[in-house]
Amino acid sequence: MTQTRFYRTQNSEPEEDTKPTTTTTVTTGGGGRTAMRVIVPLQGVVQGRGGLVLGSVIPCALFYFLQLYLKRHRSNPTAPPSPPATETTPSSSSSSGQLTEISGLHRSLSRPLLSPRGSTGPAYISSRANSIVKSSDSPYYVGLKKVSEDPYDELDNPDGVIQLGLAENKLSLDLVRDWLAENARDSIIGGGGSGGGELSISGIATYQPFDGLMELKVAVAGFMSEVMKGSVSFNPSQIVLTAGATPAIEILGFCLADPGNAFLVPSPYYPSIDRDLKWRTGVEIIPVPCRSADNFSLSITALDRAFNQAKKRGQKVRGIIISNPSNPVGNLLNRDTLYSLVDFAREKNIHIISDEIFAGSTLGSEEFVSMAEIIDSEDFDRNRVHIVYGLSKDLSLPGFRVGVIYSFNENVLAAARKLTRFSSVSAPTQRLLISMLSDTRFIQKFIETNRERLGRMYNEFVAGLKQLNIECTKSSGGFYCWADMSGLIRSYNEKGELELWDKLLNIAKINVTPGSSCHCIEPGWFRCCFTTLTEKDIPVVMDRIQKVLQTCKSRS
Amino acid sequence: MRFIQQNLLSKIAISNGHGEEIPYFDGWKAYDSNPFHPINNPQGVIQMGLAENELCFDLIQEWILKNPGASICTAEGVNEFRDTALYQDYHGLPEFRNAIAKFMGKVRGDKVTFDPDRIVMSGGATGAHEMLAFCLADPGDAFLVPVPYYPGFDRDLRWRTGVQLLPVHCESTFKLTITALEAAYEKAQAANIKVKGLIITNPSNPLGTVLDRETLRSLVSFINAKNIHLVCDEIYAATVFSQPGFISISEILEEMECNRDLIHIVYSLSKDMGLPGFRVGIVYSYNDAVVNCARKMSSFGLVSTQTQHLIASMLSDDEFVERYILESAKRLATRHKDFTRGLAQVGIGCLKSSAGLFVWMDLRRLLKEKTIEAETELWRVIIDKVKLNVSPGSSFHCSEPGWFRVCFANMDNETMVVALQRIRKFVLETKEPEMPPKKRYCQGNLRQLSFKSRRCEDIMMAPSMMSPHSPIPQSPLVRATT
């Protein structure tokens, strides 16, 4: 089982130090606290005191044992003697990634898959599938599951779990609903009862362009400008629509990087990007840690260091992924930082993916600057800049699955358009959104009201935490605050953090996201989404946290 | 530093994995640049390469108008809006999965039941196939696929997954045999390729035939003996319009002992309900690990909850579903009969079929010689001069030249009549071996082309739609509402 565990560590699920089997790899990674967060274990080995020797000996040894294992367990003598060479060819650059891929092969699942009816043995599924089937036990997913099993409801289930772990916005849904009730009657198949309207059933039933209807692209471009307060205009022909931001990120991953290549991602970053980006593409993520001392702001020096380390390892870095407003911290990237990012990308000849999915959900007065604006104002080869957007957050319609790739690179657009055949937006939803987004008066009012409500909730929530002596970083955007509970954890490490998380989930019954799920290198930080609440819920949440705090007092 | 484009994009982005270089797509381009319209462009290319089913649109339209609440986006349905708009769980709305499971059973004559917990959603059958390939095979692994097979497989299954397809060549009767499968399997073994499974379409695309019980049973035994997966694409299940009827693999599983972990079904509403624009694809796997994994993977191609809700309401209306299935089969039968009869009058035969939205047309006797080149040449004549976008057998990897897939359900009756007239005229004229008429054709064609380019522009202004296989904008086809 060693290798299976090993893979999960590599997958950066925050559970490394709890699994005894991984400790050999992990503790060599330099010792002390940093060891805990080693993302690619072998990377850790190489950088740590073990140095190059261990870094090469361990993988070789593991690989050798694996081959032995495969040889011994090839039960069917008639099967082709497929040499390990064939299995290892696909990924060539990183030996660790390769190793773990193979180690996932057929084993962890073979036993449960053995059907009593089958006489010939287990059904082998792919190692890609094996790698993920059991990976859900990261706290982020555990928490979400817990809420879905026992959701809080003021009247029906007052003892249920309160959701603070999902970045969805319930604050302004009434506005959308009212619009629909008044206006949407004919938006799907137009023309009312006559059936002879401009848009008949064939306008939604038949094949439509996979990358989205042009009318919707025009409407989305308008919405994006509106959300960014007119500071920049978007060209609809540079838009590719996908079924949510999840496939948008993945498609960019497929287009910009080959298996084994890597993206630099400033951490903490939002938890699901690991799965969204890496799983099927075979692309790697190199977290670039930001620190509380700098208010978790991005440092070009750290990026540069990570880039050079990757280069030394022989790993090709294809780009950098930022989220702006940042998820989970909630800070914005200012103009200067964006310019230096662009310079950095140019110097290293890599791409920039800017996830701006919260652009319209800003708090307070700080100005949001889109990467598109920087590109507009700068004489810069735009081909390397790609923006990800969606309607899940700013229009609070995650169920509608509309994601946006906005790129300046014709080749990326061409490939992405073709790749949308695997994940396009269903036509009835497109038609509906076209009429909604084209109602500019409604949209303006929506954005304004939503911002207002968001700001109010944020202030109340943060004030509530403050009364409990829990401080948050100053947030300028997003549906969450980034709360510092490091003073409340029993031991200043990931274990301590997860202990507190567990208490919050199981005793206080609130689901927050622990910093370790976001690859935060400092323990004790938590992301709390407040947009799933109503104002009435805030005292309940604070009450529940308070109860847990009392049990934590012993430390101080 | 200069931006070096080629080095900076992935192999997937710059390779031809999308497969749109093959001649099959030229037909699409020909259609896209000059689409037929009964009034605006009566000389345009008629689209017969698109397996769409619009014969029963009136029934669906009527239902949607009668049930305005179903779309949740009207005053009647808006109470459901809040929960639906927020729901982003990749399991899919429970009512959606229940309705799909029930519908799948109904389409298969209620002889089998499907477990809603095994229904995994994906972005169309395209997404479903890719998802299964991701789940079942690693880069370099292979699937056996009996030829002729749907050309999109080459792209959908291989492009991002790195999986290979190994064509299984069957005898000229287009009947799948175990001998052929064994041979293909052994060949792969000899080449040191790991075969992970077998993919079949039943009813067959492009043949329109169904697999009989014996064949299905032998397939199951085959994959069991080899311990490889069986992916059954049953997206044409409800298009069966005559005997022999359709037998689902799920029925066979009830009858015989086998390892169920090896069996996976791909389904969709694009053909059976004629709703490709809704992008509803389904993976139904009997393997728990695959269900589990595919569910997580479905985040990359979820169907909008609004559409899920609409579909759930529509498919839960038993009366409507029963009427739809019956009526659809009836109309397909009529269309198939009219079309094949029209072809038979000029001596063109088709492979006998009982399902699908197309026929497998036999033009072998019109070939100059029995080669793929001759077939492609004939096909270009059909595109350029007869002005029909049909799909040549070679694009389906058919080993015998001279066969063409012709779709007949994506048009109204009048368009079909025009298409038939064109084919008949063409066949009658090509019987004359002299050269002059051919020359005349060319000139006529040239004149027409220049004349038409202006019209074409007008049409391009219309709300653009695109064919599922081509990046070029299309005109509104022949969808004159009745």
Side-chain angles (χ1 to χ4, degrees), chain A residues 146-164:
Chain A
K146 184 106 184 173
V147 180
S148 70
E149 285 162 3
D150 181 22
Y152 171 82
D153 186 284
E154 195 191 344
L155 300 172
D156 297 341
N157 191 16
D159 294 326
V161 184
I162 297 180
Q163 176 69 290
L164 300 175

Side-chain angles (χ1 to χ4, degrees), chain B residues 116-130:
Chain B
D117 289 336
R118 292 193 177 279
I119 303 266
V120 180
M121 191 180 8
S122 67
T126 306
H129 271 292
E130 194 199 37

Side-chain angles (χ1 to χ4, degrees), chain B residues 171-193:
Chain B
E171 282 82 280
S172 60
T173 46
F174 298 114
K175 190 165 157 40
L176 181 58
T177 60
I178 296 301
T179 338
L181 284 175
E182 290 279 2
Y185 187 80
E186 261 150 44
K187 202 172 138 199
Q189 298 245 328
N192 225 338
I193 299 169

Side-chain angles (χ1 to χ4, degrees), chain A residues 123-193:
Chain A
Y124 295 139
I125 60 177
S126 71
S127 43
R128 274 187 283 239
N130 271 337
S131 74
I132 206 79
V133 163
K134 287 185 175 173
S135 76
S136 274
D137 30 23
S138 127
Y140 174 67
Y141 294 105
V142 171
L144 292 182
K145 187 153 176 253
K146 184 106 184 173
V147 180
S148 70
E149 285 162 3
D150 181 22
Y152 171 82
D153 186 284
E154 195 191 344
L155 300 172
D156 297 341
N157 191 16
D159 294 326
V161 184
I162 297 180
Q163 176 69 290
L164 300 175
L166 194 59
E168 68 179 18
N169 180 7
K170 292 185 178 174
L171 304 178
S172 307
L173 274 178
D174 56 323
L175 303 179
V176 185
R177 197 194 56 207
D178 293 347
W179 183 90
L180 288 172
E182 278 171 39
N183 302 285
R185 170 142 207 121
D186 296 333
S187 57
I188 291 183
I189 46 175

